[in-house]
Amino acid sequence: MPVISAPHDFNEGRLFVDLEPIFGCPLYLKCEGFNFAGSIKLKAANEMVASAERDGILKPDSILVESSSGNLGVALSMIAASKGYEFLCVTDSRCNLSTRLLMEALGSRVHIVADPDENGGFLGTRVEYVRSLCASDSRYVWLSQYTNPGNWRAHYRTTAQQIARHFPSLDVLFIGTGTAGTLMGCARYFRQWHRPVRIVAVDSVGSVAFGGEPGRRMIPGLGMSMRPPLLDESYVNEVIRVEEAETIRTCHRMARRGFLFGGSTGTVVSGATEWLSRHDAQDITAVAIAPDLGERYLDTIYQTNWLQDLYGDQILDPDEMTATVRTEESAPREPDRRPQP
């Protein structure tokens, strides 16, 4: 049992779930939600803060500021609290209420932008607000997860190597795409691996990360309203786009078997199972990455009223329903495929 003195010193990276009993196809899910920040974003946050400290960018009176849809904001809130920095998270209305409350509980400030950008998302508006803050006060330090190479280096050094250690016969890896940090770190690592690994990027319909027309996206975590500056498509073999309705159905299907995962995980697993259904998966070793768990989505993708208001009454079959009905009293305020030891 480890003994730690800082919350970011603990991150369980060895846990995989075998999803074949649920979906009928060979797929292992790497669970990244077992740390004090509750998501894979702890890795990028750690790397970017440590790099800024080494380079002398972060000083005792610095105020960290970052644009985030949620999980990176929580990770930075935790690290800032541990290290004694102030932190301001710039987010938007799609950020889950529980996520905002978590950041505030950790002592951070949260600013919510309301005006969409030209692509119908909020990222452009968030970034402009961050830039204006930095121009107004030199104490603000923007780590910029969208352009910071520490974002992908964190996963090159940790996530990819953890997968390679447990699955030396890996054939295909499914990775959700937001800032593209996880995608590029893992893709770069496996480009140098001793055997070919197919890298499949999973994106949300309505995201423009890989081009296409922008559309409504209500589930935070995956997708971008601009092309991710870190993205290099030469490392990606294939892109799968998933409708949010399928994300929700996949989340509820896993929840019915006792696994409560977040929206990003539902998107990645939906894309992975669809891909595996189109291929002869009998001898394929496939892994997908689950960025977080589902507790932060109880007021959204696991909430009946939220689902019906946005997606209609038929979003889930009655037998698949795991959501609760929101009442006035409970309404929120807003060849060897087995892993190696």
Side-chain angles (χ1 to χ4, degrees), residues 95-257:
C95 179
N96 297 324
L97 173 62
S98 59
T99 300
R100 302 202 300 267
L101 295 176
L102 268 172
M103 289 188 278
E104 291 170 350
L106 289 164
S108 298
R109 290 180 290 142
V110 179
H111 177 83
I112 302 170
V113 304
D115 298 325
D117 58 29
E118 60 185 8
N119 286 322
F122 294 93
L123 178 56
T125 309
R126 292 186 345 220
V127 168
E128 283 306 310
Y129 185 82
V130 171
R131 285 178 174 151
S132 69
L133 282 177
C134 294
S136 69
D137 190 333
S138 61
R139 292 177 300 166
Y140 283 105
V141 174
W142 181 25
L143 297 176
S144 183
Q145 63 167 324
Y146 312 107
T147 59
N148 194 321
N151 189 345
W152 68 260
R153 279 201 305 261
H155 301 288
Y156 183 96
R157 294 171 177 171
T158 60
T159 311
Q161 294 186 36
Q162 290 163 353
I163 294 169
R165 190 176 304 120
H166 284 268
F167 296 91
S169 300
L170 181 67
D171 295 303
V172 58
L173 179 61
F174 300 94
I175 310 169
T177 307
T179 63
T182 308
L183 174 65
M184 296 314 303
C186 291
R188 283 188 166 95
Y189 181 87
F190 283 109
R191 176 66 63 89
Q192 305 163 359
W193 190 231
H194 67 87
R195 55 177 286 140
V197 174
R198 188 169 188 82
I199 301 296
V200 180
V202 184
D203 198 11
S204 301
V205 170
S207 165
V208 299
F210 294 93
E213 291 296 318
R216 185 187 77 163
R217 292 180 295 114
M218 301 304 298
I219 301 173
L222 288 189
M224 293 274 279
S225 56
M226 69 176 188
R227 179 182 173 86
L230 295 176
L231 178 62
D232 182 345
E233 290 190 58
S234 68
Y235 287 91
V236 179
N237 298 107
E238 191 173 344
V239 178
I240 295 176
R241 292 176 172 85
V242 175
E243 295 276 2
E244 286 192 335
E246 292 305 317
T247 292
I248 292 162
R249 293 184 185 108
T250 301
C251 284
H252 281 259
R253 187 170 177 182
M254 289 188 288
R256 293 286 288 182
R257 299 295 293 271

Side-chain angles (χ1 to χ4, degrees), residues 25 28 33 39 55 58 66 94 110 159 167-168 177 181 189 196 209 222 234 237 264 281 314 317 337:
C25 56
Y28 296 101
S39 82
D55 295 342
L58 269 176
E66 187 57 80
R94 293 177 303 181
V110 179
T159 311
F167 296 91
T177 307
Y189 181 87
L222 288 189
S234 68
N237 298 107
S264 300
Q314 306 305 313
D317 293 332
R337 304 203 319 265

Side-chain angles (χ1 to χ4, degrees), residues 40-49 72 150-152 154-155:
I40 196 172
K41 288 293 188 177
L42 177 62
K43 293 176 174 178
N46 252 336
E47 180 72 24
M48 293 189 296
V49 169
L72 183 71
N151 189 345
W152 68 260
H155 301 288

Side-chain angles (χ1 to χ4, degrees), residues 4-126:
I4 62 172
S5 57
H8 47 278
D9 289 340
F10 174 76
N11 192 0
E12 175 55 64
R14 300 166 298 173
L15 180 62
F16 295 82
V17 175
D18 183 355
L19 293 180
E20 187 163 15
I22 301 176
F23 294 99
C25 56
L27 180 64
Y28 296 101
L29 187 64
K30 187 179 193 308
C31 300
E32 291 283 349
F34 291 96
N35 56 59
F36 285 97
S39 82
I40 196 172
K41 288 293 188 177
L42 177 62
K43 293 176 174 178
N46 252 336
E47 180 72 24
M48 293 189 296
V49 169
S51 179
E53 289 176 331
R54 287 193 302 268
D55 295 342
I57 298 170
L58 269 176
K59 301 177 176 61
D61 65 340
S62 293
I63 304 172
L64 280 168
V65 60
E66 187 57 80
S67 160
S68 170
S69 62
N71 281 337
L72 183 71
V74 173
L76 286 173
S77 293
M78 188 189 76
I79 293 172
S82 175
K83 291 176 174 283
Y85 296 115
E86 289 186 56
F87 173 57
L88 169 63
C89 181
V90 180
T91 188
D92 58 70
S93 57
R94 293 177 303 181
C95 179
N96 297 324
L97 173 62
S98 59
T99 300
R100 302 202 300 267
L101 295 176
L102 268 172
M103 289 188 278
E104 291 170 350
L106 289 164
S108 298
R109 290 180 290 142
V110 179
H111 177 83
I112 302 170
V113 304
D115 298 325
D117 58 29
E118 60 185 8
N119 286 322
F122 294 93
L123 178 56
T125 309
R126 292 186 345 220

